[in-house]
Amino acid sequence: MASRFTVSNRTGWLMAGPAVLLIAGFVILPFLLAVGLSFTNQRLVSPNPTEFVGLANYNQLLDLALLTVEPLKDDAGQTVLKDGVPEYPPIRSLTRNNPDRPDLNGMREWFSFSSGGDARLVVLARDVVFMKAIVNTFTFVIVVAPVQAGLALCLALLINQRLKGINIFRAIYFMPVVVSIVVVSLLWRLIYDGQSGLLNNLLGTLSFGMIPPIDWLGNPSTALGSIIAMSIWQAVGFHMVIWLSGLQTISPTLYEAAAIEGASKWQVFRYITWPGLRNTAVLILIVITMQAFGLFAQIDVMTNGGPLDSTHTIVFQAIERGYGKQDISGGSTISVILFVIVLSISLIQRWLTREKS
Amino acid sequence: MASITLRDVRKSYGNAHVIKGVDIDIQDGEFCVFVGPSGCGKSTLLRMIAGLEDITSGSLAIGDTVVNDLPPAQRGVAMVFQSYAIFPHMTVRENVAFGLTIAGASKAEKDAKVAEAARILQMEHLLDRRPSQLSGGQRQRVAIGRAIVRKPEVFLFDEPLSNLDAALRMDMRMEIGKLHQQLGATMIYVTHDQVEAMTLADKIVVLRDGKVMQIGAPMDLYHDPANLFVAGFLGAPSMNFIDVTVKAVNGNSALVFNDALDPVEVSARRGPFRVGDRAILGLRPQYLSIAEGPGKLHGTVALTERLGAETVVEVALRNGKAVIAALSHDAVYPIGSAVDLGFDPAQAHLFQPEE
Ligand SMILES: Nc1ncnc2c1ncn2[C@@H]1O[C@H](COP(=O)(O)OP(=O)(O)O)[C@@H](O)[C@H]1O
Ligand SMILES: [Mg+2]
């Protein structure tokens, strides 16, 4: 006999209702809107009617071009040298009103490299800042995912012991997770302060003044690294707890069997612990990757994308455009691009870590 | 030589005394079974021998070496766990070869030894499967395979068959017996099942509440139990216990009786007994028979169970107590009919009552 609880559809929907409504209102609808708006020129407030613009927004963000630039020649056909290196014409002169390449109009140099001879290959992007944001975001993900996961695993292994007072350590490592990321970012702005920050003081004291103060967040070469370090520290406790739960699913008798066979600590990890953590590892990798792609609050609080655009990220760009510049369609387009990137990466991860039979 | 000697071995968890002073001698090549009810400390004792639990006090020697402080790997023991403890992510081959992999053996050596173990356990066809594709009995074979490849001097089994169904349990029991004959190693086998203990053991150690109740060969324990606990624990159906009064003591025997029992002279070697004492007479159901003429025990039939070759009769005695007789033939006894039971006094055991 079917139970009243398994057939009572109306009750089921009633109970799921609030969650379904909220998810529909705050996730599904905005997502569909974003996809729709990314094909228009919608602005936050504008007197003009919205128009359908096709892929123009995507083109504006993602358009890239390659340009070969020859060095300047003097009248005799000799390469002009300046301080011993060949001099090149300004890129602007080649992109603006160039009758041969009308498609380059409005593009700027992203980076360039030498192509063997004197000629240089210049990669042009229509939106250089967005390109930098993509590179920064990927850098962040590629560093944070393995380092944070690895560190969290080490902590979990250390903490998964029956020692007196081990719970104190568990609590300490988990503490940063419960503090809001905005608060953490504010605190770390003080730690990273260029003049009298805690970090500079610490380094100065430890090195007896050999290391001069560094403006961690004000220097393009250290800003992103500093944010990476802080972000790893902040969430490592969360992933430690997930690893810990994975560790505790491994049957203690497996360890006893290994002890009787004479396995060393490393062999125990290699043959029992690590294979037993497989599913946990997949989960943690995917979660960290997703979170890392969403990097925003730290940037917003600590650097605002600077210095010299060195800490712009995809989400920061989406919000800055959508609200800062009131360019809703541009922000929506960035969101859709991020969605496609994250979706492809998690599909690839799923495929790479699939159960091989 | 892998004899095993325990001297006054104790184990406490804080204030909980689990093993309370145990002395056991196990000869090289002997099959020794620790048997006792659940929670009596069998596993704890075995894990102390394996090195998985510290020994609180006393000494444990394997061969001539005291191994109290040696790690498990250096004791030359292999262990088979109740839950099998085979590694879920490895194939059967990798599982069986695990000890060799750990020791850094060559591939050729591993292949040869795994093949030999597989032949002994008749599981050649399983080698490339994963544990999830195996039945319970096959998993237990893998666990045993992993134990035998290293050729240890001592095998430890902790209730290896209790997760298997009855038919399989009997098969595996026989195989473990055969394995012992083939390998000739010392084996210690923990079980709460007295049938496994009786059939497999050279030597049985009966444990209760962390203390040894009796040690001996299965038939010695069966025919001459040292106390009420051992008498009641071994044998099925279990021994009948009848409260009696001692009427006379005559050297090594005593004359006992009660309302339902005519005075009978039985051995008093588990004494001492004095005239007028209360005592307990133990009678195995198999040694009771329905008397043709006047018997020694008087009562009425309360229940009969006909099993074909055997008939189990419950007899309500005149004094209100019940005894069970297991008769080795098929017969019908109407419920309520008066019967007299007879027995050979040489097969009766007299015990002092437990406090
Ligand atoms: N780690 C422990 N801490 C406290 N008591 C324990 C511990 N391990 C076992 N015991 C106790 O020791 C007794 C014997 O356990 P065990 O050896 O597992 O019994 P069994 O004979 O069923 O194998 C049980 O009463 C159990 O509660
Ligand atoms: Mg046990």
Side-chain angles (χ1 to χ4, degrees):
Chain A
M1 195 191 88
S3 150
R4 210 164 56 82
F5 292 103
T6 58
V7 296
S8 186
N9 237 330
R10 197 139 52 92
T11 318
W13 279 111
L14 219 61
M15 291 193 183
V20 170
L21 277 182
L22 287 173
I23 289 176
F26 287 97
V27 179
I28 297 175
L29 190 68
F31 172 73
L32 294 177
L33 271 175
V35 174
L37 290 173
S38 71
F39 298 109
T40 68
N41 64 355
Q42 175 80 48
R43 296 188 57 79
L44 198 57
V45 256
S46 160
N48 304 323
T50 303
E51 287 168 22
F52 178 79
V53 296
L55 289 173
N57 286 320
Y58 292 93
N59 188 46
Q60 171 65 30
L61 283 169
L62 298 174
D63 194 19
L64 293 178
L66 198 61
L67 187 65
T68 314
V69 184
E70 297 292 340
L72 288 176
K73 312 263 176 169
D74 58 17
D75 300 338
Q78 283 297 307
T79 306
V80 180
L81 292 180
K82 192 181 181 187
D83 302 334
V85 286
E87 202 182 348
Y88 296 91
I91 301 296
R92 261 163 177 251
S93 66
L94 297 171
T95 55
R96 194 176 293 176
N97 303 325
N98 184 344
D100 299 335
R101 302 288 301 272
D103 57 309
L104 297 184
N105 206 359
M107 293 184 94
R108 289 202 294 132
E109 175 178 351
W110 181 13
F111 60 90
S112 68
F113 50 91
S114 144
S115 64
D118 275 347
R120 292 194 65 77
L121 282 175
V122 178
V123 177
L124 301 168
R126 201 161 293 283
D127 190 335
V128 174
V129 177
F130 185 64
M131 286 302 145
K132 283 190 182 170
I134 290 184
V135 171
N136 288 339
T137 306
F138 272 86
T139 310
F140 186 81
V141 172
I142 286 168
V143 176
V144 167
V147 175
Q148 194 169 60
L151 224 57
L153 176 58
C154 291
L155 290 180
L157 289 171
L158 283 178
I159 247 166
N160 190 30
Q161 303 180 36
R162 280 207 217 136
L163 296 176
K164 252 192 204 150
I166 200 78
N167 277 328
I168 298 174
F169 286 93
R170 292 186 191 187
I172 289 176
Y173 293 147
F174 195 71
M175 229 146 35
V177 178
V178 287
V179 180
S180 151
I181 183 71
V182 174
V183 175
V184 169
S185 302
L186 282 170
L187 287 176
W188 278 71
R189 218 163 67 176
L190 302 179
I191 292 177
Y192 282 143
D193 188 276
Q195 305 300 308
S196 54
L198 189 63
L199 184 58
N200 279 329
N201 275 328
L202 193 72
L203 289 175
T205 310
L206 287 182
S207 67
F208 301 104
M210 300 281 280
I211 300 179
I214 299 167
D215 189 0
W216 296 99
L217 296 174
N219 185 335
S221 56
T222 56
L224 187 62
S226 304
I227 289 178
I228 288 177
M230 184 210 81
S231 306
I232 290 175
W233 171 85
Q234 193 264 338
V236 79
F238 178 75
H239 300 291
M240 172 194 81
V241 171
I242 303 184
W243 281 123
L244 205 56
S245 73
L247 283 173
Q248 287 171 355
T249 60
I250 301 174
S251 159
T253 44
L254 295 185
Y255 290 111
E256 292 180 345
I260 286 182
E261 302 289 336
S264 66
K265 278 203 160 137
W266 164 245
Q267 286 170 324
V268 168
F269 180 79
R270 161 140 169 30
Y271 291 111
I272 295 157
T273 312
W274 183 243
L277 287 175
R278 216 194 115 78
N279 292 333
T280 315
V282 173
L283 173 76
I284 285 190
L285 211 62
I286 289 180
V287 168
I288 294 184
T289 309
M290 301 280 170
Q291 283 179 349
F293 269 111
L295 174 63
F296 168 72
Q298 294 96 307
I299 306 292
D300 195 42
V301 174
M302 297 174 84
T303 63
N304 257 311
L308 297 179
D309 302 333
S310 64
T311 58
H312 267 289
T313 65
I314 300 179
V315 175
F316 185 75
Q317 280 272 304
I319 291 178
E320 198 200 40
R321 266 183 223 218
Y323 298 100
K325 296 184 180 155
Q326 310 210 340
D327 176 8
I328 287 294
S329 60
S332 300
T333 312
I334 295 178
S335 310
V336 174
I337 292 172
L338 178 63
F339 170 77
V340 172
I341 293 176
V342 172
L343 183 70
S344 347
I345 286 183
S346 40
L347 286 179
I348 292 171
Q349 278 178 341
R350 285 280 302 270
W351 184 76
L352 285 177
T353 56
R354 73 197 180 282
E355 200 84 50
K356 293 178 187 85
S357 51
Chain B
M1 285 293 107
S3 58
I4 296 170
T5 316
L6 288 83
R7 285 287 168 267
D8 196 26
V9 167
R10 288 166 195 274
K11 174 79 191 178
S12 311
Y13 296 102
N15 275 335
H17 305 294
V18 176
I19 302 293
K20 302 165 183 165
V22 162
D23 293 274
I24 302 173
D25 290 278
I26 300 167
Q27 310 304 322
D28 181 42
E30 202 164 39
F31 198 116
C32 177
V33 175
F34 294 173
V35 69
S38 198
C40 70
K42 308 176 296 284
S43 296
T44 307
L45 197 54
L46 193 75
R47 292 163 57 80
M48 286 159 84
I49 296 172
L52 298 173
E53 300 278 355
D54 294 335
I55 297 171
T56 307
S57 73
S59 87
L60 164 68
I62 297 180
D64 299 327
T65 332
V66 174
V67 296
N68 283 38
D69 299 320
L70 284 188
Q74 289 173 28
R75 298 190 182 192
V77 301
M79 184 154 169
V80 176
F81 294 84
Q82 177 175 356
S83 56
Y84 318 131
I86 52 181
F87 305 117
H89 49 273
M90 295 182 193
T91 62
V92 169
R93 187 187 302 281
E94 288 162 345
N95 261 289
V96 173
F98 183 75
L100 303 170
T101 308
I102 290 300
S106 70
K107 181 154 187 325
E109 182 187 353
K110 281 201 267 185
D111 285 347
K113 291 193 169 167
V114 170
E116 191 195 342
R119 186 182 52 75
I120 294 175
L121 295 168
Q122 294 159 22
M123 57 172 194
E124 283 104 332
H125 59 293
L126 301 177
L127 285 179
D128 292 310
R129 296 213 198 151
R130 292 203 169 254
S132 55
Q133 300 163 320
L134 300 179
S135 69
Q138 291 170 331
R139 285 178 205 196
Q140 197 54 278
R141 262 171 226 268
V142 176
I144 295 173
R146 187 176 65 202
I148 68 180
V149 281
R150 282 191 306 130
K151 299 224 172 357
E153 307 208 306
V154 179
F155 283 88
L156 307 174
F157 295 89
D158 190 356
E159 310 218 12
L161 308 185
S162 56
N163 287 353
L164 306 181
D165 60 54
L168 200 56
R169 205 178 303 165
M170 192 163 141
D171 286 352
M172 284 299 285
R173 194 173 76 209
M174 290 178 174
E175 293 211 17
I176 289 177
K178 271 192 252 163
L179 194 69
H180 176 241
Q181 283 172 2
Q182 274 180 47
L183 302 177
T186 311
M187 294 189 174
I188 305 181
Y189 185 104
V190 161
T191 179
H192 63 264
D193 179 357
Q194 52 102 11
V195 178
E196 283 173 27
M198 296 293 287
T199 50
L200 285 170
D202 296 323
K203 176 184 278 173
I204 292 182
V205 177
V206 182
L207 291 164
R208 178 197 195 184
D209 284 343
K211 282 186 291 223
V212 172
M213 300 311 287
Q214 193 174 2
I215 300 180
M219 286 309 130
D220 293 348
L221 265 56
Y222 185 83
H223 291 296
D224 189 14
N227 47 50
L228 274 176
F229 179 77
V230 176
F233 194 80
L234 297 180
S238 56
M239 192 184 274
N240 296 300
F241 293 124
I242 302 169
D243 290 321
V244 294
T245 310
V246 179
K247 193 175 183 187
V249 179
N250 174 16
N252 244 344
S253 59
L255 193 66
V256 298
F257 75 103
N258 72 11
D259 294 349
L261 173 70
D262 299 341
V264 56
E265 186 156 324
V266 296
S267 160
R269 49 192 297 267
R270 297 294 178 192
F273 299 98
R274 283 164 306 170
V275 175
D277 275 358
R278 285 190 347 85
I280 293 180
L281 185 68
L283 297 168
R284 291 214 181 272
Q286 289 81 356
Y287 295 128
L288 287 174
S289 55
I290 305 282
E292 298 298 330
K296 300 190 181 81
L297 278 165
H298 311 288
T300 52
V301 174
L303 188 75
T304 52
E305 284 181 330
R306 294 171 63 195
L307 304 171
E310 195 185 37
T311 310
V312 179
V313 184
E314 187 183 326
V315 176
L317 296 180
R318 227 187 257 164
N319 64 355
K321 300 284 166 54
V323 296
I324 292 194
L327 311 171
S328 59
H329 58 267
D330 186 25
V332 186
Y333 298 98
I335 290 174
S337 61
V339 285
D340 279 4
L341 293 172
F343 59 90
D344 175 4
Q347 302 286 4
H349 310 270
L350 193 63
F351 300 105
Q352 292 182 311
E354 280 189 332
E355 292 80 45

